[in-house]
Amino acid sequence: MTTKTAAPYALSAPFTLCALLACTPAFAQTTPAASTPSSALTLYGVVDLGVRQASGLSAANAPAPGSSRSLGSGIHTTSRWGVRGTEDLGGGLRALFNLESGLNADTGAPANSSKYFDRASWVGLQGGWGTVALGRQTTTLADAISPVDPLAMRFASFNPNIGVTALSQHGLGIEYGSAGANSGSYRLDNSIKYTGRFGGFTARAMLGLGEVASQTSPLSSRGVGLAYADGGFTVSGAVQNFKDANLRSLDGATLGAAYQWGTVRLAANAGRSKAQTGAATHTEQRVLSAGATWAALPLLDLTATYYKVDRERTGSADDGYGRMVAFAEYKLSRRTRVYAELDHTRWRNGFQGAANKRTASGVSAGVMHSF
């Protein structure tokens, strides 16, 4: 399909979907299946904007020689909107789907211009045996890190557990798995994922289909994950392998734990990835993280975290960085929160590049509303 053919549809599709959703209540009154109490359709989302001042970082939080001031989207929680639905098929079986799109709330532009629903696009079936979902969805690494990240998955573009451990920003310049991008492998197209919950255990298995013509292995992926939660204690881990178009491998693993102790939540995690980047070259990255969140008041949470990132590359000196991030969050209501954030990064062995500052720091303040 050429660009000229796709453009009109690219402009109209989101508006068409919104129009259909807006008409849903009236449609439900005249359609027996839609009026069934066990069927549901939900429009949801998050709008998060904050003002940020940084030294040694660009507005996109990359190492920089100077300072920046920006209005940033997704400092607390990634701005996005989506629609999800379920239908009771009887006999304990349910059909479900999820479509979700990231957005840059500061400009109104989609976060990913090449995909309408870059964050989720899947349909599945659910029963007493678990859930099977097919489409674009998060990997087992991303699912495993979510309940044990010390920063509680805040500040996605700056959080090393999201970027490095869960491979949202692996920085390798190669597409591993059917990610649809050469910058990260946090989500995969054309994937099949099973999730089963048995008592306190949650088991996951994922198969990513590369869909390379006449071949089965290029851009494919396989992963498994296991988590256990009991009371205030959670432990979660996963491993996943990704292939590129030339059958080079990227192997990722993560293991972490969290514990809720009264008004304090403690969390720690270790992540590792090793990628073949050439015939005789590799890049290995490791992340150690720890942090605590204290509910200082019923409406006020204070979080302090530390991340240590190490990188080894064939033919280059080992490098990395240490990053401290602190968050204060005040709940104005169940859906609206204001927040303030402080961070400091110390680069090691020139990780930031010769022209950039050896340390970086930033301060942010903003508001997040969910619907």
Side-chain angles (χ1 to χ4, degrees):
M1 183 178 292
T2 66
T3 303
K4 290 184 178 180
T5 303
Y9 180 68
L11 291 172
S12 63
F15 297 102
T16 301
L17 177 60
C18 290
L20 289 174
L21 291 172
C23 294
T24 297
F27 182 75
Q29 295 175 2
T30 58
T31 307
S35 62
T36 303
S38 56
S39 299
L41 184 67
T42 302
L43 176 67
Y44 67 93
V46 173
V47 181
D48 174 15
L49 282 171
V51 178
R52 178 165 171 79
Q53 174 76 43
S55 174
L57 294 168
S58 69
N61 297 310
S67 300
S68 64
R69 182 179 297 165
S70 61
L71 180 65
S73 176
I75 295 174
H76 183 294
T77 304
T78 302
S79 296
R80 59 189 183 269
W81 72 279
V83 58
R84 54 180 169 244
T86 65
E87 181 185 11
D88 191 341
L89 301 175
L93 186 65
R94 299 185 69 83
L96 56 165
F97 78 93
N98 189 195
L99 301 172
E100 185 174 297
S101 178
L103 64 97
N104 296 320
D106 53 332
T107 64
N112 188 330
S113 60
S114 66
K115 296 179 182 292
Y116 296 140
F117 298 107
D118 59 312
R119 294 178 57 86
S121 178
W122 57 263
V123 65
L125 295 174
Q126 183 181 75
W129 37 265
T131 302
V132 173
L134 301 90
R136 179 171 174 82
Q137 50 198 319
T138 52
T139 67
T140 61
L141 297 175
D143 294 336
I145 198 67
S146 179
V148 295
D149 174 44
L151 203 52
M153 304 299 279
R154 296 184 181 95
F155 213 165
S157 65
F158 199 62
N159 185 330
N161 267 340
I162 296 175
V164 183
T165 302
L167 303 175
S168 177
Q169 300 170 7
H170 57 54
L172 300 172
I174 299 171
E175 182 182 12
Y176 291 97
S178 53
N182 61 11
S183 57
S185 300
Y186 191 88
R187 297 176 176 86
L188 297 181
D189 299 338
N190 315 317
S191 64
I192 304 168
K193 184 165 66 176
Y194 167 78
T195 303
R197 294 180 172 85
F198 311 96
F201 290 93
T202 300
R204 298 182 179 90
M206 187 176 195
L207 174 64
L209 306 179
E211 296 196 3
V212 175
S214 303
Q215 301 181 66
T216 58
S217 293
L219 299 184
S220 64
S221 181
R222 292 173 173 82
V224 294
L226 183 65
Y228 177 75
D230 182 24
F233 176 72
T234 301
V235 61
S236 180
V239 295
Q240 189 144 354
N241 169 267
F242 308 79
K243 298 292 187 184
D244 78 346
N246 297 307
L247 297 181
R248 293 174 293 195
S249 289
L250 168 60
D251 294 299
T254 181
L255 179 63
Y259 181 66
Q260 186 71 42
W261 182 37
T263 59
V264 177
R265 175 185 179 267
L266 305 174
N269 194 83
R272 174 186 178 274
S273 64
K274 186 172 183 179
Q276 294 175 301
T277 53
T281 60
H282 76 274
T283 296
E284 182 174 343
Q285 300 185 88
R286 298 182 297 276
V287 181
L288 296 176
S289 59
T293 296
W294 174 37
L297 297 170
L299 300 178
L300 176 65
D301 290 345
L302 302 176
T303 299
T305 65
Y306 180 74
Y307 296 86
K308 182 177 183 291
V309 180
D310 296 304
R311 182 174 68 174
E312 297 178 5
R313 294 175 295 167
T314 302
S316 300
D318 297 349
D319 57 14
Y321 59 92
R323 174 166 291 162
M324 295 182 291
V325 183
F327 248 91
E329 173 189 285
Y330 187 80
K331 305 173 183 68
L332 296 175
S333 72
R334 186 171 64 89
R335 297 182 179 275
T336 304
R337 306 177 183 191
V338 292
Y339 60 85
E341 177 270 346
L342 295 171
D343 57 82
H344 180 77
T345 302
R346 181 175 295 275
W347 313 106
R348 296 195 309 274
N349 297 335
F351 184 99
Q352 78 281 15
N356 300 318
K357 293 184 177 182
R358 299 177 63 180
T359 61
S361 58
V363 56
S364 311
V367 59
M368 185 272 289
H369 177 77
S370 61
F371 61 89

Coordinates of all heavy atoms in Angstrom, one line a residue, residues 22-23 45 74 78 212 259 265 335 366:
A22 N -19.1 6.7 20.6 CA -20.0 7.6 21.1 C -21.5 7.2 20.9 O -22.4 7.5 21.6 CB -19.8 9.0 20.4
C23 N -21.7 6.4 19.8 CA -23.0 5.8 19.5 C -23.3 4.6 20.3 O -24.4 4.1 20.2 CB -23.1 5.6 18.0 SG -23.0 7.1 17.0
G45 N -8.4 6.1 29.6 CA -7.2 6.7 29.2 C -6.5 7.5 30.3 O -7.0 7.5 31.5
G74 N 3.7 12.3 30.0 CA 4.0 11.0 30.5 C 5.1 10.9 31.6 O 5.8 9.9 31.7
T78 N 2.4 7.2 31.4 CA 2.3 7.4 30.0 C 0.9 7.9 29.5 O -0.1 7.2 29.8 CB 2.7 6.2 29.2 OG1 4.0 5.8 29.6 CG2 2.7 6.4 27.7
V212 N 8.2 -13.5 8.6 CA 9.1 -13.2 7.5 C 8.7 -14.3 6.4 O 8.6 -15.5 6.7 CB 10.6 -13.4 7.9 CG1 11.5 -13.2 6.7 CG2 10.9 -12.3 9.0
Y259 N 7.5 -5.9 48.7 CA 6.8 -6.2 50.0 C 6.1 -5.0 50.6 O 6.8 -3.9 50.7 CB 7.8 -6.8 51.0 CG 7.2 -7.2 52.3 CD1 6.3 -8.2 52.4 CD2 7.5 -6.4 53.5 CE1 5.8 -8.6 53.6 CE2 7.0 -6.8 54.7 CZ 6.1 -7.9 54.8 OH 5.5 -8.2 56.0
R265 N 6.2 0.4 51.1 CA 6.4 -0.6 50.0 C 7.8 -0.6 49.7 O 8.4 0.4 49.3 CB 5.5 -0.3 48.8 CG 5.8 -1.3 47.6 CD 5.0 -0.9 46.4 NE 5.2 -1.7 45.3 CZ 6.2 -1.6 44.3 NH1 7.0 -0.5 44.4 NH2 6.3 -2.4 43.3
R335 N -9.2 10.0 40.5 CA -8.7 10.1 39.2 C -7.6 11.1 38.9 O -6.9 11.1 37.9 CB -9.9 10.3 38.2 CG -10.9 9.2 38.2 CD -12.0 9.5 37.2 NE -13.0 8.5 37.2 CZ -12.9 7.4 36.4 NH1 -11.8 7.2 35.7 NH2 -13.9 6.5 36.4
G366 N 3.9 18.2 37.8 CA 2.8 18.1 36.8 C 1.5 17.6 37.4 O 1.4 17.4 38.6

